[in-house]
Amino acid sequence: MRFGVYFFYLLVVWALESLGDNDTHTEYDLHKRLFQQYNSNIIPRRMTSSDPLHVRIELYLMTIDEINELRQTMAITAFLEIEWTDSSLIWEPLEYSSVTSINVKVKEYGLRI
């Protein structure tokens, strides 16, 4: 009987510690892990893949600022969105407080577009 109580106690302690092991990291930790050794000069695809890199580009026209018929030019204000998947910037969301996307400042990590 004493062994059963002791075994039950160990099982409860193990279960509680297992629940505590599910600590998630912060978005700060995610940025640190992703960009610690990131090189923006490498094409963002898997090393073994010869598949083309798919890039989605969208232009959102905000305003037409000027139209010059004589010079056949126009000036606009627009928002350009460029999206691609970089296989070296993939993480498991559950490990980082369910974060599924992050914002990255281009200049902060020496990235170029």
Side-chain angles (χ1 to χ4, degrees):
M1 185 73 169
R2 186 170 167 97
F3 175 74
V5 172
Y6 181 70
F7 180 74
F8 178 74
Y9 173 74
L10 285 176
L11 185 63
V12 169
V13 169
W14 174 81
L16 291 174
E17 285 183 6
S18 295
L19 292 174
D21 288 344
N22 291 333
D23 291 337
T24 57
H25 302 286
T26 64
E27 189 172 343
Y28 174 83
D29 298 327
L30 176 60
H31 276 262
K32 188 174 176 182
R33 182 183 73 82
L34 290 176
F35 294 105
Q36 193 168 25
Q37 296 180 353
Y38 186 78
N39 186 343
S40 63
N41 295 317
I42 297 173
I43 295 175
R45 64 175 153 202
R46 296 176 194 259
M47 297 294 280
T48 58
S49 176
S50 61
D51 295 336
L53 175 65
H54 296 280
V55 179
R56 183 181 63 82
I57 300 174
E58 292 186 21
L59 178 73
Y60 299 95
L61 180 62
M62 307 295 272
T63 62
I64 298 174
D65 300 322
E66 177 186 345
I67 297 177
N68 188 325
E69 291 180 44
L70 188 61
R71 293 177 52 204
Q72 295 184 355
T73 61
M74 94 171 139
I76 64 168
T77 301
F79 177 74
L80 183 64
E81 186 175 286
I82 306 170
E83 182 179 301
W84 65 90
T85 299
D86 188 332
S87 61
S88 62
L89 299 177
I90 295 175
W91 66 91
E92 181 59 45
L94 292 177
E95 293 178 16
Y96 294 94
S97 304
S98 298
V99 172
T100 57
S101 66
I102 59 172
N103 292 316
V104 179
K105 292 181 181 177
V106 174
K107 292 180 182 179
E108 187 170 336
Y109 296 104
L111 304 176
R112 296 177 294 144
I113 56 170

